[in-house]
Amino acid sequence: MSPVALSTAQLVHGARTLVESSPLPMVATEGPAHIVRYVNPAFCRLIGQSAAVLVDSPFSAPVVQGDDSPALLDVVLATGTPEFALDLARVCGTANAIHLPFAVWPILGDDDRPIGLLLQVTEATGDGPDGQIDSGTAAELRDVNERLLVAGLLAQEQAELQITLRGEAEAALTVRDEFISIAAHELRTPLTGIKTSAQLALRTLEDSDLDKARTVRYLLGIEKGANRLVQLVNDLMDVSRMRSGNLLLRVNAIDLGPLVSSVVLRYVEIGGERYRLTTKLPATPLVVTADAGRLEQVLDNLLSNAVKYSPGGGEIAVNLRQAGNGIVLNVSDTGIGLTAGMQERIFEPFGRAPNARRQGLPGMGLGLHICRCIAEAHAGRIWAESPGEGQGMSVSLWLPRL
């Protein structure tokens, strides 16, 4: 238990000598009803009532007329955050208004949650013994009280820091578990294909009547699975490099038109009739300073996503245009689209739209995160738009023009 995590009773007994002789009025309350558990003599003199009348009675009073904000005592008890105010009359319902500054801070229980409040008038009232206040004693007590308040604030900050760190640790564990699950699934898929193709190829080779075409088909299946494994490993290595700030760029002046054309042509050749791919490129060069390999990686990812998330085929459009002092590359499709609120989530590590998972479409959720890191490394930005689930989506990359 922290030094300031005292129950109301512990506070009363441990600080009785200090507060009994203090010229600074103090009162300790307990619970949401603010039941008074202790008042010092200075507080009794201040409001003109005895301890017998005040103790075990609610201390809360109506909020100042016309003020619709929550009562200060309720706020401190609910938030655990100490507060200062300039007018005791706001919380102390006496016949005569008491216009004195005061402080309220929480009394913490064993679980570091507020169980009560300590209220202290922060200026001496001049009604000590014989109406005289020893200035040295008052200054010393004020210093002690201030140190107690600072200790309370530090303890509160420590508690909040621990809660934050605990939450971050739990979030990190969740991300780790999610990564292990996704990585295991994504790695297993191509490995299963490689194993199956290898077994079939071996059986074919053992057959006296060798079917060359079938053997080639099985070997191509092995190659496809191996390429998928290489891509997964490359993605993981890219994420690691980007997070550590070690992404290496080999920048040169590049005309984006020919780069886009070459990547699109590859997809046209392998796509056949599964989807219709169109391009719209400008007649004049659009030049940027960039790493050609990394930009090709971005476009390849956007096009492969458009194909993957359009399982029923459809149209894919690539548009390259100038936009002010920059260049925008846009890839749109008519596929499964995005569910509401996923436009940013898909750029986070392992971020995948729920509808993609429901349909069992493969992917680790790293591609678009890598695309965003590459875009930002080029002083650019990338974003996604979608009218809704089943209505396709569009991803745009903006880069500064040379």
Side-chain angles (χ1 to χ4, degrees):
M1 184 171 66
S2 64
V4 296
L6 304 176
S7 68
T8 306
Q10 288 173 315
L11 177 67
V12 170
H13 293 297
R16 184 174 295 277
T17 301
L18 174 66
V19 297
E20 285 287 334
S21 59
S22 173
L24 303 175
M26 300 181 192
V27 57
T29 69
E30 184 178 29
H34 309 301
I35 303 300
V36 175
R37 297 306 184 197
Y38 173 80
V39 290
N40 72 344
F43 192 88
C44 293
R45 291 192 296 270
L46 175 65
I47 66 173
Q49 295 181 5
S50 67
V53 173
L54 294 171
V55 172
D56 295 330
S57 298
F59 184 75
S60 58
V63 179
V64 175
Q65 187 174 3
D67 187 351
D68 59 356
S69 62
L72 181 62
L73 302 187
D74 295 333
V75 172
V76 175
L77 188 66
T79 64
T81 303
E83 295 284 353
F84 294 90
L86 297 176
D87 193 354
L88 186 63
R90 290 178 60 84
V91 295
C92 187
T94 60
N96 298 318
I98 302 171
H99 302 289
L100 287 172
F102 66 99
V104 184
W105 63 86
I107 301 169
L108 304 181
D110 292 341
D111 60 354
D112 285 338
R113 294 183 178 180
I115 60 172
L117 301 173
L118 180 64
L119 182 148
Q120 174 193 292
V121 176
T122 55
E123 289 187 1
T125 60
D127 50 358
D130 299 325
Q132 300 296 321
I133 295 175
D134 185 304
S135 59
T137 301
E140 183 178 349
L141 289 170
R142 187 177 295 110
D143 179 64
V144 171
N145 289 331
E146 288 175 353
R147 276 185 280 169
L148 285 171
L149 180 57
V150 169
L153 290 171
L154 289 175
Q156 180 70 22
E157 290 177 0
Q158 284 293 107
E160 292 175 352
L161 178 60
Q162 289 177 4
I163 292 173
T164 300
L165 292 176
R166 189 182 301 117
E168 291 176 352
E170 291 174 352
L173 289 174
T174 300
V175 170
R176 183 203 64 184
D177 293 343
E178 183 179 4
F179 162 73
I180 292 173
S181 174
I182 294 173
H185 175 76
E186 291 300 317
L187 292 171
R188 183 179 60 191
T189 300
L191 283 173
T192 301
I194 290 173
K195 182 178 179 180
T196 301
S197 296
Q199 290 172 338
L200 292 172
L202 286 172
R203 290 178 186 176
T204 303
L205 291 173
E206 291 171 353
D207 193 342
S208 57
D209 185 17
L210 179 65
D211 187 335
K212 183 177 179 180
R214 188 167 57 175
T215 303
V216 169
R217 187 167 68 251
Y218 296 149
L219 292 177
L220 288 175
I222 293 174
E223 182 185 36
K224 180 180 179 181
N227 289 337
R228 177 58 182 159
L229 283 176
V230 169
Q231 183 61 53
L232 290 172
V233 172
N234 286 341
D235 283 351
L236 292 172
M237 292 179 65
D238 275 344
V239 170
S240 177
R241 282 192 288 263
M242 291 168 183
R243 289 194 166 186
S244 61
N246 294 325
L247 178 64
L248 179 63
L249 297 179
R250 297 178 176 84
V251 297
N252 292 289
I254 303 168
D255 181 4
L256 285 180
L259 184 148
V260 171
S261 294
S262 65
V263 177
V264 169
L265 180 61
R266 186 164 72 246
Y267 277 84
V268 170
E269 290 174 346
I270 64 177
E273 298 181 355
R274 289 185 299 155
Y275 48 83
R276 180 171 174 266
L277 202 161
T278 60
T279 60
K280 184 178 181 182
L281 305 178
T284 57
L286 293 180
V287 181
V288 296
T289 300
D291 183 322
R294 290 297 182 180
L295 292 190
E296 183 174 335
Q297 180 182 354
V298 171
L299 180 55
D300 185 67
N301 186 279
L302 298 185
L303 282 171
S304 64
N305 279 352
V307 172
K308 177 169 60 178
Y309 297 125
S310 302
E315 296 185 359
I316 299 173
V318 179
N319 181 19
L320 181 66
R321 60 184 174 83
Q322 181 176 342
N325 61 346
I327 297 170
V328 173
L329 171 63
N330 175 268
V331 177
S332 61
D333 62 65
T334 56
I336 66 173
L338 290 175
T339 51
M342 291 301 298
Q343 284 83 352
E344 280 298 314
R345 176 73 180 92
I346 58 175
F347 290 101
E348 298 174 5
F350 315 114
R352 301 195 68 212
N355 53 336
R357 292 180 177 178
R358 284 198 306 269
Q359 296 187 34
L361 299 175
M364 289 184 68
L366 291 177
L368 287 177
H369 174 66
I370 293 172
C371 289
R372 171 160 283 181
C373 290
I374 293 174
E376 292 175 349
H378 286 84
R381 60 183 185 273
I382 190 169
W383 66 95
E385 299 172 294
S386 175
E389 188 169 353
Q391 302 181 62
M393 69 174 291
S394 169
V395 181
S396 299
L397 168 68
W398 180 92
L399 295 171
R401 187 177 182 185
L402 181 63

